[in-house]
């Protein structure tokens, strides 16, 4: 794009939107590659998935019991998976914008805020796609759900995407205590899945808010495709 004239800078020309987008994407990618917590995040996600898989692999493979008990075991398994993904995704997304608030406000006078935001998102997109894969590497092999690996990955990726969006919003809105706010949002999102406790046991207002909650829809996507017994219409979280 042709450089545009910025009236706020006395008529001086600034780079066009696409040039700014390319610059911010490149700069954010370098920052993420230099980050020391990248490897630790991947290791933590893999370790969490392996731990959950190890715990529930024995429980789900145990013989005996009724179908209702078997369904409860799967509900607990996916509830814990959603809880861990929601918490880690929100917490890891907080620094993407929150760590550069002073830089953002300084550069917003010279550059497009939309180009800045899009550049940050594009740079972080490979990590968004990589984190669910790190969780499923061990979890899928140990749990061995009925769903194909690709279907389960897509379900977890959708949860990751939505949770990171909440983390980005929190990092921009909250000046302090961002980590605490992120933990509270993750807790509410998991409670409103309707799994533990069921929505029918909560006041009606909670059921209404659950329709705008990524946790409920994440559970709706993950459970039917991975549960060999449940069905989308008759799943426990819908009642």
């Amino acid at each position: 794009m042709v450089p545009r004239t910025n009236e706020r800078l006395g008529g001086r020309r600034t780079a066009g939107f696409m040039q700014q987008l390319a610059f911010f994407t490149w700069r954010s990618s370098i920052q993420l590659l230099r980050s020391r917590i990248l490897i630790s995040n991947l290791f933590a996600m893999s370790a969490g998935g392996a731990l959950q898989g190890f715990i529930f692999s024995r429980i789900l493979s145990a013989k005996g019991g009724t179908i209702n008990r078997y369904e409860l075991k799967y509900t607990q398994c996916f509830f814990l998976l959603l809880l861990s993904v929601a918490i880690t995704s929100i917490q890891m997304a907080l620094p993407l914008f929150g760590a550069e608030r002073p830089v953002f406000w300084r550069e917003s006078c010279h550059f497009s805020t939309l180009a800045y935001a899009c550049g940050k998102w594009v740079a972080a997109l490979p990590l968004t796609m990589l984190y669910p894969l790190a969780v499923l590497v061990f979890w899928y092999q140990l749990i061995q759900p009925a769903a194909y690996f690709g279907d389960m990955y897509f379900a977890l990726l959708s949860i990751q995407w939505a949770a990171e969006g909440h983390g980005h919003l929190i990092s921009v809105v909250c000046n302090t205590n961002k980590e605490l706010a992120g933990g509270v949002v993750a807790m509410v999102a998991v409670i409103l899945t309707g799994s533990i406790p069921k929505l029918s046991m909560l006041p009606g207002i909670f059921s209404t808010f659950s329709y705008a909650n990524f946790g409920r829809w994440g559970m709706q996507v993950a459970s039917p495709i991975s549960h060999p017994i449940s069905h989308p219409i008759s799943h426990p979280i819908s009642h």
Side-chain angles (χ1 to χ4, degrees), residues 89-90 93 121 159-171:
S89 300
I90 291 177
W121 286 328
I159 300 173
Q160 175 85 21
W161 176 272
E164 285 186 356
H166 284 67
H168 297 159
L169 179 62
I170 293 171
S171 67

Side-chain angles (χ1 to χ4, degrees), residues 126-208:
L127 296 180
T128 302
M129 301 177 66
L130 187 60
Y131 286 142
L133 185 62
V135 175
L136 291 176
V137 164
F138 298 106
W139 186 92
Y140 187 86
Q141 298 298 325
L142 292 169
I143 299 298
Q144 296 184 355
Y148 291 109
F149 185 89
D151 294 336
M152 194 64 205
Y153 171 76
F154 175 78
L156 213 59
L157 179 62
S158 63
I159 300 173
Q160 175 85 21
W161 176 272
E164 285 186 356
H166 284 67
H168 297 159
L169 179 62
I170 293 171
S171 67
V172 173
V173 173
C174 298
N175 293 323
T176 58
N177 297 325
K178 293 187 290 290
E179 292 77 10
L180 178 60
V184 172
V185 170
M187 180 187 66
V188 173
V190 174
I191 291 176
L192 293 182
T193 58
S195 300
I196 305 173
K198 295 183 179 180
L199 291 175
S200 59
M201 301 174 61
L202 300 175
I205 187 69
F206 288 93
S207 179
T208 302

Side-chain angles (χ1 to χ4, degrees), residues 56 72-80 187 190-199 201-202 219 236-237:
F56 280 94
L72 178 60
K73 294 175 183 179
Y74 262 93
T75 300
Q76 293 172 343
C77 177
F78 291 118
F79 181 82
L80 181 59
M187 180 187 66
V190 174
I191 291 176
L192 293 182
T193 58
S195 300
I196 305 173
K198 295 183 179 180
L199 291 175
M201 301 174 61
L202 300 175
M219 196 73 171
I237 69 174

